[in-house]
């Protein structure tokens, strides 16, 4: 018998179905990690086409409630997102405690962080990065590319770009493990004291490469975050280009009210 859920709401039918399944998730009728009923079951339950059911599941993936695995089905997400507090994660106290920003924020969220270094070495500088670093596009820079995990799940891929004249004098920056506190600690030890960090955040759909790297379902959203690390001398000594699984993070910013 077909369900009449939302029949008079005025919403498209796939959104009505998505709302109904969302309610089942938020009320606990569908528990974390539980399998969503199959497409065949949902077609019969709601009296709609398979295409409408697929759009409903896609909507639930977009808002971060459901993940889909090829050949296995769709499941309720089992882990809450990490809250990324921009006003807290770059505190010097974290670096003095030997913790880089990602390690500090994931530990505070109660998850186990790990980092996989994908590559380290000189590369030609991309145009947007060159502009941010204030270097010529013909210059080379040091690139450190990493994949970050929370409780074994890949959550973000980041590449740090550093001007070659800065990086060449800091041998730890060429190591997989640059030491306690991460690369920012090493930069400050070599006289590059930080004054501020500026971030640009865009939301978009993941590319095929990004979806593969982060284990995302097709059509999943990502945050594309680009950060400048600015010294007290006014120089940008690192640009970090980061792709984050949008459903795995809450971005929390503190903005002072100033004249």
């Amino acid at each position: 018998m077909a369900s009449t859920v939302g029949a008079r709401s005025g919403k498209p039918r796939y959104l009505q179905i998505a709302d109904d399944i969302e309610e089942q998730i938020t009320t606990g009728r569908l528990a974390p990690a539980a399998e969503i009923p199959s497409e065949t079951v949902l077609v019969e339950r709601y009296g709609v086409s398979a295409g409408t059911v697929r759009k409903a599941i896609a909507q639930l993936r977009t808002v971060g409630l459901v993940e889909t695995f090829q050949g296995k089905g769709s499941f309720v997400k089992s882990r809450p997102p990490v809250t990324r507090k921009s006003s807290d994660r770059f505190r010097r106290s974290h670096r003095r405690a030997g913790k880089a920003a990602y390690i500090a924020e994931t530990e505070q969220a109660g998850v186990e962080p790990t980092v996989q270094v994908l590559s380290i070495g000189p590369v030609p500088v991309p145009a947007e990065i060159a502009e941010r670093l204030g270097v010529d596009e013909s210059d080379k820079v040091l690139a450190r590319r990493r994949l970050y995990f929370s409780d074994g799940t890949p959550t973000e891929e980041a590449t740090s770009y550093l001007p070659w004249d800065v990086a060449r004098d800091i041998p730890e920056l060429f190591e997989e493990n640059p030491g306690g506190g991460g690369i920012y600690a090493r930069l400050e030890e070599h006289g590059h004291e930080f004054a501020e960090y500026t971030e640009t955040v865009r939301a978009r759909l993941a590319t095929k490469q990004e979806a593969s790297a982060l284990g995302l379902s097709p059509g999943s959203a990502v945050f594309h975050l680009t950060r400048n690390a600015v010294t007290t001398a006014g120089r940008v000594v690192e640009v970090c280009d980061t792709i984050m699984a949008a459903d795995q993070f809450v971005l929390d910013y503190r903005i002072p009210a100033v004249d």
Side-chain angles (χ1 to χ4, degrees):
M1 182 177 179
S3 169
T4 59
V5 169
R8 297 181 181 178
S9 70
K11 286 186 177 181
R13 192 72 175 113
Y14 78 93
L15 288 179
Q16 297 170 16
I17 296 168
D19 287 347
D20 187 44
I21 297 174
E22 179 175 350
E23 183 183 6
Q24 294 176 51
I25 293 171
T26 56
T27 59
R29 288 158 58 197
L30 280 171
E35 185 174 4
I36 303 298
S38 69
E39 184 178 292
T40 301
V41 170
L42 294 178
V43 164
E44 182 176 350
R45 177 180 300 174
Y46 294 106
V48 295
S49 68
T52 299
V53 166
R54 292 187 197 114
K55 289 178 69 175
I57 298 300
Q59 173 66 18
L60 292 166
R61 284 199 303 267
T62 299
V63 298
L65 291 174
V66 165
E67 54 190 342
T68 300
F69 300 96
Q70 188 69 33
K72 295 183 179 180
S74 296
F75 298 81
V76 179
K77 281 284 182 86
S78 58
R79 186 163 51 82
V82 171
T83 297
R84 186 185 185 106
K85 292 183 178 293
S86 179
S87 57
D88 178 74
R89 67 193 307 263
F90 296 118
R91 290 183 183 274
R92 286 191 178 89
S93 59
H94 293 323
R95 296 198 286 278
R96 286 196 293 267
K99 297 178 180 180
Y102 185 84
I103 304 299
E105 74 182 1
T106 49
E107 286 184 350
Q108 288 173 358
V111 297
E112 179 68 27
T114 53
V115 182
Q116 178 184 352
V117 176
L118 302 177
S119 63
I120 302 172
V123 298
V125 60
E128 180 185 353
I129 304 301
E131 182 177 357
R132 285 173 172 267
L133 286 174
V135 301
D136 292 334
E137 290 185 36
S138 59
D139 291 348
K140 68 179 179 182
V141 294
L142 175 65
R144 295 179 53 90
R145 183 166 161 254
R146 295 93 64 202
L147 186 61
Y148 293 90
F149 298 79
S150 296
D151 285 343
T153 298
T155 57
E156 64 180 90
E157 185 176 1
T159 303
S160 287
Y161 297 93
L162 301 100
W164 190 254
D165 67 299
V166 171
R168 68 187 179 191
D169 297 325
I170 308 176
E172 296 93 337
L173 298 182
F174 293 81
E175 301 293 333
E176 285 196 15
N177 182 355
I183 65 173
Y184 288 171
R186 303 291 81 74
L187 286 162
E188 288 201 311
E189 287 171 357
H190 285 76
H192 305 285
E193 183 179 355
F194 292 109
E196 66 175 1
Y197 308 89
T198 64
E199 295 183 339
T200 302
V201 183
R202 308 176 183 91
R204 58 172 173 79
L205 298 181
T207 66
K208 287 184 178 180
Q209 183 276 326
E210 292 162 354
S212 176
L214 297 176
L216 301 176
S217 303
S220 294
V222 293
F223 293 128
H224 185 177
L225 184 150
T226 311
R227 180 177 63 254
N228 291 1
V230 188
T231 68
T232 53
R235 184 176 184 187
V236 177
V237 294
E238 185 243 14
V239 173
C240 190
D241 194 44
T242 306
I243 303 299
M244 308 163 63
D247 64 308
Q248 298 295 331
F249 293 92
V250 174
L251 303 183
D252 187 351
Y253 291 91
R254 181 169 59 117
I255 303 172
V258 297
D259 293 333

